[in-house]
Amino acid sequence: MKVLFTNIKELLQTRDSPTAVLKAGAMKELPTIKNAYLLIEDQKISQYGPMEELPTLQVDNTVDLSGKMVLPSWCDSHTHLVYAGNREQEFIDRINGLSYEEIAAKGGGILNSAKTLENTSEDDLYQQSLKRLEAIARLGTGAVEIKSGYGLSLEGELKMLRVIKRLKESSSLTIKSTFLGAHAVPLAYKSNQQAYIDYIIQTVLPQVVSQGLAQYIDVFCEKGYFSTSDMERILDAATAYGLIPKVHVNQFNSIGGIKAALKYNALTVDHLEVIKEEDITALQNSNTIAVALPLCSFFLGIPYSPAKQLIRAGIPFAIASDYNPGSSPSGNMNQVVSTACIKMKLNPEEAINAATINAAHAMGIGATHGSITPGKMANFIITKALPSYGYLMYDFGNNNIDTVYVNGKSLD
């Protein structure tokens, strides 16, 4: 099946071959073609170019996109999309003055979600999660990472990971799975945190690996949750099994989590709302990608990651939604990109690169996703008629997506 798209007002992120993760000044470079054509064949991008160079082609269908733009689908490299229920009462508690940490201390937060998940059947959890997955796809997300972490028990974590596996099998989106058993300490282990870490390492982790339920390992390294030494114990065990670290660090405090993660060649370090000069120096000497989560900062009212500082330091930088019920109840990557521009002062080119090419690398799929490149998956967004691509970020309150293609097929 060959489909030809013609008269594209502007075709964004056109790169002739797969591109390495972008750094520093390269983040401001966004190659585009105005008045372009795009040919897709079956599930992949075949060729593209300016309309005046369009060769004679035998195709099954031609689509005129006059006035519309095309860009690669968003890659969302950090989500907790599989969860049960919601936590709107905590939203009200924060409005009334309680902090995220205070809510957690009284049994809210992650433990609240764990309790709800325990009382939710696997089929119900799957149906709730599938609705969210379908919604983010229609908002332009073509690839997504999903974490466990609301089970906090063998049964609960495996339930979540099985649901992620079912989503992979039923959806056309590319989905990566992350085991986050060390998301919080369950009440049963409150007085003996090390016993819970032993339980993760000795009981849960072997089952996750033997059942092939995760590609990545994550730990919430933060005061009140898991220390750097806790994280190192877990990463020691997980990396021995072949899981790749993608970890939560520096959300509220800088406690050495970045340096600890780098010992294990973490693919990404995520959050980074609070960062010290020594953290930046450590990242400069690594290949680890810094992933910021602007909607979490927006929703909780906490500082934003210092995006421009990280980019100027030559650190590869990506953005993701952190979709979860407590601190970022949205998987809208268009809002993520707009917020990155409005609050983190990224220019549109930096924001698009951070949510496409670099975000694909942050999921380990940079060779197949994140740009308009021959041979890559035909995952792309067709906008409504727009004056420029900067309008996508400027018009933050409206949905400017006309159609989404995933694996060469329209979601409409």
Side-chain angles (χ1 to χ4, degrees):
M1 183 77 175
K2 292 183 179 181
V3 181
L4 176 65
F5 300 87
T6 61
N7 301 311
I8 302 167
K9 179 174 181 176
E10 192 163 6
L11 181 62
L12 311 181
Q13 199 62 286
T14 53
R15 299 182 186 261
D16 292 339
S17 58
T19 303
V21 66
L22 302 176
K23 304 177 184 179
M27 288 289 289
K28 290 185 178 179
E29 298 171 5
L30 183 67
T32 74
I33 300 173
K34 294 183 178 179
N35 191 25
Y37 74 90
L38 172 67
L39 176 69
I40 64 172
E41 187 169 356
D42 297 324
Q43 297 185 331
K44 295 184 178 180
I45 295 165
S46 179
Q47 65 184 80
Y48 59 81
M51 282 297 296
E52 60 264 27
E53 296 179 9
L54 175 62
T56 300
L57 297 168
Q58 296 296 318
V59 299
D60 298 288
N61 190 25
T62 300
V63 182
D64 186 344
L65 296 183
S66 295
K68 300 176 181 180
M69 298 188 180
V70 172
L71 69 156
S73 295
W74 308 124
C75 297
D76 192 349
S77 69
H78 181 129
T79 83
H80 306 255
L81 179 145
V82 171
Y83 62 85
N86 56 65
R87 282 168 27 203
E88 81 277 9
Q89 182 55 51
E90 295 177 12
F91 168 66
I92 296 168
D93 287 341
R94 279 198 306 278
I95 292 172
N96 290 330
L98 291 183
S99 69
Y100 183 89
E101 296 94 326
E102 288 169 334
I103 291 168
K106 68 172 192 172
I110 296 163
L111 295 182
N112 185 353
S113 287
K115 182 177 180 181
T116 305
L117 186 131
E118 183 181 3
N119 296 320
T120 302
S121 72
E122 188 167 321
D123 282 340
D124 190 2
L125 181 63
Y126 168 75
Q127 291 298 332
Q128 291 183 43
S129 303
L130 181 61
K131 288 180 181 178
R132 297 186 196 106
L133 189 69
E134 291 172 342
I136 67 168
R138 293 189 178 280
L139 289 168
T141 294
V144 61
E145 179 259 19
I146 308 175
K147 304 178 188 293
S148 67
Y150 295 128
L152 306 183
S153 68
L154 176 63
E155 298 78 13
E157 291 294 304
L158 293 181
K159 180 197 293 187
M160 291 189 73
L161 292 166
R162 284 194 300 267
V163 166
I164 297 171
K165 184 178 181 181
R166 287 176 67 182
L167 293 174
K168 287 183 188 181
E169 294 166 349
S170 63
S171 172
S172 57
L173 271 68
T174 298
I175 299 173
K176 294 292 187 177
S177 178
T178 300
F179 171 49
L180 178 56
H183 200 191
V185 179
L187 291 176
Y189 289 90
K190 200 70 175 176
S191 60
N192 192 352
Q193 181 162 325
Q194 292 307 305
Y196 180 59
I197 295 170
D198 290 340
Y199 175 70
I200 291 173
I201 292 171
Q202 298 168 14
T203 303
V204 188
L205 182 59
Q207 288 297 315
V208 170
V209 173
S210 67
Q211 295 182 40
L213 294 175
Q215 294 83 51
Y216 299 113
I217 180 70
D218 195 351
V219 177
F220 187 15
C221 184
E222 181 56 70
K223 285 184 179 179
Y225 292 88
F226 296 90
S227 68
T228 56
S229 59
D230 294 337
M231 181 169 70
E232 289 183 12
R233 283 190 63 205
I234 294 166
L235 295 187
D236 264 333
T239 54
Y241 281 115
L243 298 186
I244 300 167
K246 280 171 57 69
V247 297
H248 286 61
V249 292
N250 291 56
Q251 182 173 5
F252 302 109
N253 301 276
S254 176
I255 61 171
I258 288 176
K259 287 185 178 179
L262 296 182
K263 293 179 185 178
Y264 298 89
N265 298 312
L267 177 60
T268 70
V269 286
D270 302 27
H271 273 293
L272 311 181
E273 290 89 345
V274 177
I275 199 161
K276 295 179 180 177
E277 195 60 42
E278 63 201 56
D279 297 321
I280 299 233
T281 300
L283 284 168
Q284 285 177 308
N285 297 314
S286 77
N287 294 314
T288 295
I289 301 169
V291 179
L293 310 171
L295 293 192
C296 177
S297 296
F298 172 79
F299 192 73
L300 293 183
I302 61 176
Y304 288 84
S305 304
K308 300 296 276 191
Q309 184 181 1
L310 291 164
I311 292 171
R312 282 195 301 268
I315 296 163
F317 179 81
I319 51 178
S321 74
D322 194 22
Y323 194 2
N324 76 82
S327 60
S328 183
S330 170
N332 186 346
M333 282 295 291
N334 305 286
Q335 190 74 29
V336 172
V337 171
S338 288
T339 304
C341 291
I342 296 165
K343 292 296 187 180
M344 303 167 94
K345 306 305 180 186
L346 296 189
N347 61 38
E349 294 79 11
E350 289 171 327
I352 290 171
N353 281 327
T356 56
I357 284 182
N358 281 9
H361 282 289
M363 295 175 62
I365 56 172
T368 54
H369 293 69
S371 65
I372 303 297
T373 299
K376 284 195 174 187
M377 300 305 297
N379 287 13
F380 54 90
I381 296 165
I382 300 172
T383 73
K384 297 176 182 176
L386 300 179
S388 70
Y389 60 76
Y391 193 83
L392 282 169
M393 299 79 183
Y394 163 79
D395 193 35
F396 68 91
N398 294 300
N399 182 4
N400 286 295
I401 293 176
D402 182 71
T403 312
V404 177
Y405 275 74
V406 176
N407 300 339
K409 293 183 179 179
S410 170
L411 297 184
D412 290 340

